[in-house]
Amino acid sequence: MIHQLEHGNSTIAAAILDVQFPAYRIEAELLGFDGIPALRDTVADIMACNETFVGYRDGENLLGLIAYEKSGPELDICRLVVHPSSFRRGIATKLLEHVLEQEAPDRATVSTGRENAPAIALYKRFGFTEKREIEVAPGFFISSLVREMK
């Protein structure tokens, strides 16, 4: 079931981190880069965040989430994570599809590690195209992707 998460609640914020940390640890291993800022988030960081969080639950268990910021017709996806125990179940696809349908942005943006082939493939399936690469640390690059609807 997909629904908005009240991340201002400390219990919900902790549940978000329980999904986020293992997911980003896998990404860090895949990319060979452990400087992903989300690996240093705290419950207080999540609670104070201005992002909108949407989660995917199987009963009481939070299995994945997407977080974004929307400004007018533009949407910026800040994080999309699935707990490693739930990989390959289509959860990221369902979350991304839900947010793009619900928010119907004219333009959506997202950034991910250049070497994160699974994430880049997912975004490309939804019509995102790679626009630029940014070196955020020596030898580590982020790919920025954009989806234009109008």
Side-chain angles (χ1 to χ4, degrees), residues 23-33 36 112-113 115-119 140:
Y24 279 123
R25 282 188 202 108
I26 297 288
E27 183 174 3
E29 289 174 20
L30 175 71
L31 301 175
F33 179 72
I36 298 171
T112 191
E115 306 303 322
N116 190 344
F140 180 72

Side-chain angles (χ1 to χ4, degrees), residues 31-44:
L31 301 175
F33 179 72
D34 65 358
I36 298 171
L39 285 171
R40 292 188 257 316
D41 279 343
T42 65
V43 167

Side-chain angles (χ1 to χ4, degrees), residues 27-91:
E27 183 174 3
E29 289 174 20
L30 175 71
L31 301 175
F33 179 72
D34 65 358
I36 298 171
L39 285 171
R40 292 188 257 316
D41 279 343
T42 65
V43 167
D45 293 333
I46 297 297
M47 290 175 66
C49 185
N50 289 325
E51 299 165 22
T52 299
F53 285 77
V54 175
Y56 182 96
R57 289 189 183 274
D58 180 9
E60 290 298 312
N61 299 319
L62 182 62
L63 304 180
L65 63 100
I66 187 169
Y68 61 92
E69 293 179 343
K70 188 166 185 203
S71 177
E74 295 197 17
L75 181 114
D76 182 35
I77 299 167
C78 305
R79 58 188 97 208
L80 174 56
V81 294
V82 174
H83 192 279
S85 67
S86 298
F87 281 178
R88 303 200 184 283
R89 291 179 46 191
I91 294 170

Side-chain angles (χ1 to χ4, degrees), residues 5 7 19-21 26 44 49 67 69 81 88 91 95-96 99 119 124 130-131 133 139 144:
L5 299 172
H7 66 284
V19 173
Q20 180 173 296
F21 286 157
I26 297 288
C49 185
E69 293 179 343
V81 294
R88 303 200 184 283
I91 294 170
L95 286 164
L96 183 57
V99 166
K124 285 185 173 182
E130 292 181 71
K131 290 298 181 186
E133 292 181 352
S144 289

Side-chain angles (χ1 to χ4, degrees), residues 73-74 105-109 126-129 131 145-150:
E74 295 197 17
D106 291 348
R107 182 174 196 265
T109 60
F126 279 86
F128 286 78
T129 58
K131 290 298 181 186
L145 297 99
V146 177
R147 178 181 186 225
E148 304 278 354
M149 295 306 294
K150 296 196 179 200

